[in-house]
Amino acid sequence: MNCRSVAKLVSSGDHETATWFKRLAIRFHFLMCDKCRRYAGEIKSIGEAARTGAVDRQDPQGLAELEKKLLRRIPKDKF
Amino acid sequence: MVTDPPFAQTSLFRRLKRKEAPALEQVIKLYLPQVVRTARGAGLGEEQAQDVAQEVFLTFLNALDRFEGRSHVRTWIFGILYRKIAEARRQNKKSTAEEDIDVIFESQFDSRGSWIQPPRAGDLSRYAEEIRSHMQNCMEGVPARQRMAFVLKEIEGFETAEICAVLEAEPGNVSVMLFRARNRLRDCLKRKGVQGK
């Protein structure tokens, strides 16, 4: 398995659903290849940064007000 | 982040069908934060995300009689959200950079598939820290559908099967969307000079 296919599997998320043999091959590749290890680390960090950013941006008070506003907009005959 | 297992809320579904107000409140409490967060992640401003979120739940209620419960309530809500975001973005007329990310990806490898432009060695925790301030800006460069797949996967923790249902896409397509979104983000961060050194 070469670096290109490992990088492709990692960034598509297909490594999660790959056969055990393929997953083993990826792990072996990681053992030998610091470049792909680094690439996988960057891809993981990007997901985590998106997640932390989205959670940090959330405003609990604004959400509580939005919830009230939404409930007021629901027609009484519907519920 | 996602606490309830997908495709498994049949009792909630029955209570909604019976028009039980607490069931509706439960759905709103459970999914409103996720819906707003996803709309923001997909590129809408706070106010527009809130408007879209309200429209999503009102549409959901109006269509409840037609909902047969074949998919999870959340999947259905996010399907509505996806269409509403697409409408809102069309109004915003946001254009995205369309340089081919597949070509950019391939250009990093030689004909044997080895790195010719390898990821820079360095401190990964520094990298993680440095990218935070650039993420939102780089997200703007990710085409809408890929961005939605990325947000559902990474921010909301959806399984691929549910992303397929929301976007009405095949699993292989979702893989390609995630591949392109992640590599586009990585390329954008690289261009901004983030090295983690």
Side-chain angles (χ1 to χ4, degrees):
Chain A
M1 195 172 282
N2 63 31
C3 297
R4 188 205 284 122
S5 31
V6 169
K8 221 164 201 171
L9 283 165
V10 165
S11 54
S12 62
D14 285 345
H15 65 302
E16 290 168 12
T17 51
T19 58
W20 70 269
F21 185 75
K22 220 172 201 174
R23 289 204 304 275
L24 194 68
I26 296 170
R27 285 177 67 174
F28 268 125
H29 187 94
F30 279 151
L31 280 178
M32 295 176 302
C33 179
D34 58 343
K35 298 179 181 108
C36 284
R37 263 202 320 271
R38 167 73 188 199
Y39 175 84
E42 289 183 9
I43 292 296
K44 191 164 168 241
S45 303
I46 289 169
E48 284 167 358
R51 194 155 48 246
T52 342
V55 172
D56 288 351
R57 272 199 306 279
Q58 276 199 306
D59 161 24
Q61 208 184 332
L63 267 177
E65 280 163 25
L66 179 65
E67 196 182 308
K68 279 188 211 146
K69 204 156 123 191
L70 174 59
L71 285 169
R72 278 199 301 273
R73 282 185 69 188
I74 292 167
K76 288 281 166 275
D77 60 321
K78 287 273 180 204
F79 269 81
Chain B
M1 182 142 312
V2 181
T3 49
D4 55 323
F7 305 106
Q9 291 215 334
T10 49
S11 73
L12 178 60
F13 167 67
R14 278 196 298 272
R15 286 167 55 219
L16 279 171
K17 279 284 206 188
R18 286 200 297 264
K19 315 261 183 214
E20 290 180 20
L24 172 65
E25 279 169 35
Q26 192 186 336
V27 166
I28 291 175
K29 263 205 172 14
L30 207 55
Y31 300 127
L32 184 65
Q34 266 189 300
V35 164
V36 175
R37 193 165 54 213
T38 302
R40 291 282 280 134
L44 305 188
E46 182 64 34
E47 204 180 321
Q48 203 175 18
Q50 291 202 3
D51 289 345
V52 161
Q54 292 187 60
E55 291 306 317
V56 165
F57 284 95
L58 294 172
T59 306
F60 167 74
L61 282 183
N62 276 329
L64 195 54
D65 292 335
R66 280 182 278 127
F67 183 50
E68 291 165 350
R70 285 203 200 104
S71 64
H72 185 319
V73 171
R74 182 176 78 175
T75 310
W76 201 42
I77 289 176
F78 274 77
I80 300 172
L81 173 65
Y82 174 60
R83 289 187 289 276
K84 297 272 180 205
I85 289 173
E87 272 169 37
R89 282 184 67 112
R90 264 199 295 278
Q91 283 165 10
N92 291 354
K93 287 201 172 69
K94 266 194 184 158
S95 62
T96 46
E98 268 307 322
E99 206 180 338
D100 194 337
I101 191 62
D102 293 358
V103 174
I104 296 172
F105 178 81
E106 290 297 329
S107 72
Q108 302 174 107
F109 303 94
D110 64 17
S111 57
R112 293 199 325 269
S114 301
W115 291 101
I116 40 176
Q117 289 176 41
R120 288 170 199 261
D123 186 348
L124 195 57
S125 59
R126 281 282 300 277
Y127 176 85
E129 208 170 288
E130 282 176 33
I131 61 176
R132 287 186 65 169
S133 53
H134 298 292
M135 274 304 286
Q136 203 160 354
N137 184 273
C138 284
M139 288 280 274
E140 296 303 326
V142 181
R145 209 162 147 79
Q146 293 168 27
R147 184 170 175 167
M148 188 70 178
F150 177 81
V151 166
L152 292 178
K153 181 79 183 178
E154 296 288 14
I155 302 181
E156 303 306 331
F158 280 29
E159 297 292 337
T160 302
E162 198 174 5
I163 302 176
C164 290
V166 169
L167 300 183
E168 293 178 1
E170 297 296 320
N173 290 339
V174 172
S175 292
V176 173
M177 286 180 226
L178 291 172
F179 163 80
R180 289 184 177 150
R182 287 171 176 142
N183 281 291
R184 180 162 308 273
L185 287 168
R186 182 174 171 271
D187 183 62
C188 171
L189 293 161
K190 197 162 109 187
R191 282 165 201 255
K192 289 189 184 295
V194 178
Q195 293 178 23
K197 276 191 173 165

